[in-house]
Amino acid sequence: METSDINHHYSQQFNNELEDIRSRVLAMGGLVEKQLAEAIAALSQGRSDIAEGVVSGDYKVNAFDVEIDERCTKILALRKPSASDLRLVLAVIKTTADLERIGDEAKRVARMAIGAASGDHGRNLFGQIAHLGSLVQGMLHRVLDAFARMDVDAAISVAHDDRDIDREYESVMRQSMTYMMEDPRSIPNVIDLIWAARALERSGDRCCNISEYIIYFVKGKDVRHTSLEQIRAEFG
């Protein structure tokens, strides 16, 4: 396991500021985890009340995004960080942006859940989408843990998990096409479920992005647009 320590400055105040923004990212991540879990539960259980709570609570995720961004901007302006400190601030900014987008995807799933709760078609897909959701939840939890420890090995492992999510998403899509061909009346409801599945798959992609930011901070190399095989060969 390879990690990076950020507490090394002559200025304890600067140490505190860096630790504060990292802690706030994890708090934001915990909230996004909760939003995602409740959105998935709302869809699988047909609970529009839970879904409405997810939609109305999205502003809390957005507030975290704005607050962390403002703190990072202040650090960049006043501290003029260099080397690993600058990489940390940039990783935080990028991570919060992806967490905010995962929050948006959770809200999208919740909105689809509200529509699906009143429909009679496509319910056989709920279990499969819930399984897809559980994979994404696990991936988000692991990438936040990797971020907390700035663990490169864990980050690479998370990126590998995205392949399982992609396979499950493709399975959901195939099953959805079958339902719509067999029963055209199911098309409106199934399309909503397809959008929910797509939102979950995109959330997995966002988790992959966060794993790349961890590698960037620790190793100092931008691995975006780099294959998982290349990343493993160099850092695994």
Side-chain angles (χ1 to χ4, degrees):
M1 179 180 75
E2 183 163 353
T3 61
S4 181
D5 181 15
I6 65 171
N7 295 316
H8 58 274
H9 300 98
Y10 65 88
S11 169
Q12 184 59 43
Q13 179 62 31
F14 193 11
N15 283 340
N16 293 342
E17 289 169 3
L18 292 175
E19 187 57 42
D20 176 66
I21 60 171
R22 193 164 70 161
S23 296
R24 288 176 187 275
V25 170
L26 295 174
M28 180 183 182
L31 176 59
V32 172
E33 275 194 274
K34 178 175 179 290
Q35 287 281 95
L36 183 62
E38 291 184 352
I40 294 166
L43 183 63
S44 61
Q45 299 171 20
R47 292 282 301 276
S48 59
D49 56 326
I50 298 177
E52 287 167 359
V54 173
V55 173
S56 64
D58 183 61
Y59 78 93
K60 297 176 185 178
V61 176
N62 295 338
F64 260 119
D65 184 34
V66 171
E67 181 185 21
I68 294 170
D69 194 60
E70 288 176 347
R71 288 173 183 267
C72 288
T73 300
K74 184 177 179 180
I75 289 174
L76 290 173
L78 299 181
R79 297 293 186 181
K80 296 180 174 58
S82 59
S84 64
D85 299 327
L86 179 59
R87 294 200 306 272
L88 175 63
V89 175
L90 293 177
V92 164
I93 291 171
K94 290 174 179 290
T95 295
T96 55
D98 274 297
L99 286 174
E100 190 275 332
R101 292 184 182 109
I102 294 173
D104 286 344
E105 301 296 0
K107 181 171 68 173
R108 186 168 290 110
V109 172
R111 283 177 170 161
M112 296 303 104
I114 293 171
S118 60
D120 296 324
H121 300 287
R123 290 189 176 274
N124 291 336
L125 287 170
F126 283 14
Q128 200 170 5
I129 294 176
H131 181 248
L132 172 63
S134 70
L135 294 177
V136 176
Q137 282 179 264
M139 191 176 182
L140 176 58
H141 183 79
R142 287 190 297 277
V143 82
L144 289 172
D145 181 65
F147 184 91
R149 295 180 289 115
M150 287 299 171
D151 186 338
V152 169
D153 293 340
I156 293 173
S157 178
V158 167
H160 183 268
D161 291 343
D162 190 51
R163 295 181 175 183
D164 293 333
I165 290 174
D166 289 342
R167 281 192 292 266
E168 189 67 19
Y169 172 68
E170 290 167 4
S171 177
V172 170
M173 292 300 293
R174 287 193 300 270
Q175 193 63 49
S176 299
M177 296 302 108
T178 299
Y179 279 129
M180 289 190 288
M181 287 187 292
E182 291 178 349
D183 183 6
R185 295 173 302 171
S186 71
I187 291 175
N189 279 19
V190 172
I191 286 176
D192 281 348
L193 295 176
I194 287 173
W195 280 114
R198 178 59 174 155
L200 292 171
E201 190 272 337
R202 284 177 175 170
S203 296
D205 290 342
R206 301 294 182 188
C207 291
C208 274
N209 291 348
I210 295 171
S211 70
E212 291 171 355
Y213 308 147
I214 294 168
I215 296 169
Y216 168 69
F217 166 61
V218 177
K219 294 293 189 177
K221 182 170 182 178
D222 188 342
V223 295
R224 292 176 299 170
H225 316 299
T226 303
S227 72
L228 181 59
E229 288 73 21
Q230 288 175 298
I231 294 172
R232 282 193 160 180
E234 187 167 356
F235 304 121

